[in-house]
Structures are given as structure tokens and as C-alpha cells.
Amino acid sequence: MPKTAIVMDSTGYLTPDILKKSNIKIVALNVTIEDETFPEDKLSVKDYFNKLGKGTSKTSQPSVGAFLEVYKSLKTSGYEEIVSIHLSQKISGTVTAARIAQELLPDVSIKIFDSGSSALGLGLLAWVAADWAETGLDSAEIIRLLTLLKPHTELYFIVDTLEYLQRGGRIGGAAALMGTLLQIKPILYFNSSGEIDVFEKIRSKGKAWQRVLIELERALSTGKSYRIAVIHVGLPEEGIKIARELQERYPKQDIRIFEAGPVIATHVGPGATGLAFHPWPIL
């Protein structure tokens, strides 16, 4: 059976212990603050917001060269196949860069998979792909299973401030001001087209979380086991609190805490929290 490597971009936000154990390789997106550009995985969320202040930032996809470097190193290390999993092409050119690198390496078996998501919507898929690769599944079977699991992988983000959505041009200034005055906490998600969309607008963060938990309850009502990811942007204590409460409520489920990095933080801002989940180990 072929030896299959798993690659994902840095917006998957799996923890270092999972990346090491699962042997998942990372290709980093970039964050530019004013005139300085940083690979996302070299800049903590805290440092990012300290550097950003009231300035502006933008994000950019990895270079084709960054993909070539990782793919070539895996080939040299003895991997026969590569499955490369990335954030939605509707919001980033990362998948396109990966495909160009794929075309430049015709002697390497590389399959590109668009997660249709980001953050732990992407990370959970890469994690399970690594589990499958460890059991000896080849790249074609991993892609087949990812395609089946993708529509069952859900991600919800509760935004604490509308300022960053305004900065990114997703809402206008008047809408942001009105939303702030009304204490609206939008719940964001990736729709079936792979685009960031508003799932619902809720008054207060507590009620927004209650709404997200209704979606989790709906999923868990099937009786299947789930991997559940609690996500935060610079709020480790809140992440721990949420995860603890969920573990008490759902003791048989696999619940972990993850911190989103600067790319996602650019769009959702500090104080955002979220939840991602999908069935595991099987649909």
C-alpha cells in the first residue's frame, strides 16, 4: 500500500501535538500589517493584535514556491502520495497555488482537496485524513471519504465586535455602528458554496452560543460519536470554560480546544469564539 502524506495550510489551526502525532505538514498563509509581512504560523494572535493596533492588515495565500518546497521534501522523505487539504477557494487563492505546484511536479502523486471551509472546519478534515493515512488508506480513498464527510463538517463563529468585518469590507460602517449599538453578535458560517455567510444575528453572546449549541444538539441527536472543536481568538480562559461545560454535557464525545490564528483573526477580530464538529470515526 502507498505511503500517503497529509498537507494542510496554516488556517487549519490544529495544535502542535496533533500535528506532530499525525505528521501533518503545514504551508503557511501570510499576514501583512502596514508594510511588514509575516508567515501566519510565525505570529501569535496576541502579537498580531499588538502590532496591528488601529492600523490595517491583509492576508495572502502561500506562494507556489512554498507548496513546491513542502511537496518536494515529502517526495524525498519517501512518501508516494500526497493529499493536500486547504481553505475554501471562494475566499482564498490557496487551492489555486497548490494546483499550480501540483502541475509543476508531474512525477509526484498529489491530490488537492478544497475543504469549503477554514479554521477547524478545515483542521478537522486534515486530522481525520491523517488518521486514515495512518491506517494505510491510499490517496484516492482518502479523497473519497473526505468528500463524504465534508458536508457533515460544520463550523460556526460568534463575532464579538463588528469592527473587523467592517475593515474587511464585509459590512458597511453604518451597519457596523448600528449592530454595535444593538449589541448584535452575528454567527458566521461557511455556506454550501464555500463562502463566509451570516448564519444568524443574535442579541448577546450568550444567546448566540445557545443558538450554536442547538445546531450541535441536532447533529448529536443522530447518536454518532463526534469530534468537537472549541475555537477562540485570544480567549484561552473562555475556551477552557466552554470546553469543560461541553465535556460535562457530552462526556462520550471527543472535545478539544484550539486557538485561531492571525488570518482568521483579521476577519473576525479579538474575542471571537466558535465551534466546529463532525462525525468520527465514521459517518
Side-chain angles (χ1 to χ4, degrees):
M1 60 185 67
K3 187 179 179 184
T4 305
I6 304 299
V7 174
M8 77 170 186
D9 63 71
S10 58
T11 68
Y13 304 129
L14 294 175
T15 54
D17 62 312
I18 293 173
L19 292 173
K20 183 177 180 180
K21 183 179 179 181
S22 301
N23 199 27
I24 298 170
K25 302 304 180 187
I26 299 296
V27 180
L29 274 76
N30 303 298
V31 179
T32 300
I33 303 172
E34 302 300 339
D35 296 323
E36 280 191 281
T37 299
F38 307 88
E40 180 184 28
D41 57 351
K42 303 301 182 186
L43 190 66
S44 71
V45 168
K46 181 179 179 180
D47 289 341
Y48 166 72
F49 283 116
N50 284 340
K51 288 178 178 293
L52 180 62
K54 290 295 182 181
T56 60
S57 67
K58 62 181 180 180
T59 62
S60 57
Q61 68 210 43
S63 67
V64 173
F67 278 104
L68 288 172
E69 183 178 349
V70 170
Y71 293 161
K72 287 178 180 178
S73 70
L74 289 169
K75 174 71 172 178
T76 301
S77 298
Y79 286 95
E80 300 167 59
E81 299 183 334
I82 297 170
V83 174
S84 201
I85 308 168
H86 302 293
L87 78 165
S88 174
Q89 62 183 336
K90 290 297 181 68
I91 64 169
S92 171
T94 300
V95 165
T96 299
R99 285 178 176 153
I100 293 172
Q102 175 191 40
E103 292 171 1
L104 293 173
L105 295 172
D107 60 330
V108 183
S109 176
I110 304 168
K111 289 184 170 61
I112 311 298
F113 187 79
D114 180 352
S115 71
S117 187
S118 187
L120 271 298
L122 157 62
L124 289 180
L125 289 173
W127 188 5
V128 73
D131 289 340
W132 291 329
E134 182 65 24
T135 67
L137 296 187
D138 63 20
S139 62
E141 182 64 6
I142 290 171
I143 291 293
R144 186 186 75 81
L145 291 172
L146 285 173
T147 302
L148 290 175
L149 188 56
K150 176 177 171 178
H152 299 277
T153 302
E154 302 181 49
L155 169 68
Y156 302 93
F157 255 109
I158 299 167
V159 178
D160 193 53
T161 172
L162 299 175
E163 176 186 352
Y164 292 82
L165 290 173
Q166 180 192 350
R167 287 191 193 186
R170 297 196 177 275
I171 57 173
L177 176 60
M178 183 59 68
T180 300
L181 291 174
L182 294 176
Q183 296 185 326
I184 288 174
K185 306 296 181 185
I187 302 171
L188 305 180
Y189 80 121
F190 279 84
N191 62 30
S192 59
S193 298
E195 299 167 319
I196 297 174
D197 205 347
V198 176
F199 181 72
E200 206 163 310
K201 297 176 182 178
I202 307 290
R203 296 278 293 273
S204 89
K205 194 170 187 177
K207 290 181 179 179
W209 260 103
Q210 290 175 21
R211 181 64 187 87
V212 170
L213 291 180
I214 289 174
E215 295 306 306
L216 178 61
E217 284 275 6
R218 182 255 310 150
L220 295 180
S221 67
T222 61
K224 297 173 182 175
S225 296
Y226 270 69
R227 267 182 176 161
I228 301 171
V230 176
I231 316 159
H232 68 88
V233 179
L235 290 176
E237 296 84 2
E238 186 164 341
I240 291 170
K241 179 176 179 291
I242 293 168
R244 185 178 294 130
E245 291 174 354
L246 289 177
Q247 197 68 74
E248 290 175 356
R249 185 181 301 188
Y250 309 111
K252 295 182 180 180
Q253 305 298 340
D254 182 4
I255 301 170
R256 309 285 184 98
I257 305 168
F258 302 87
E259 181 172 26
V263 169
I264 293 299
T266 297
H267 302 290
V268 301
T273 51
L275 202 66
F277 48 88
H278 68 192
W280 170 251
I282 56 176
L283 288 172

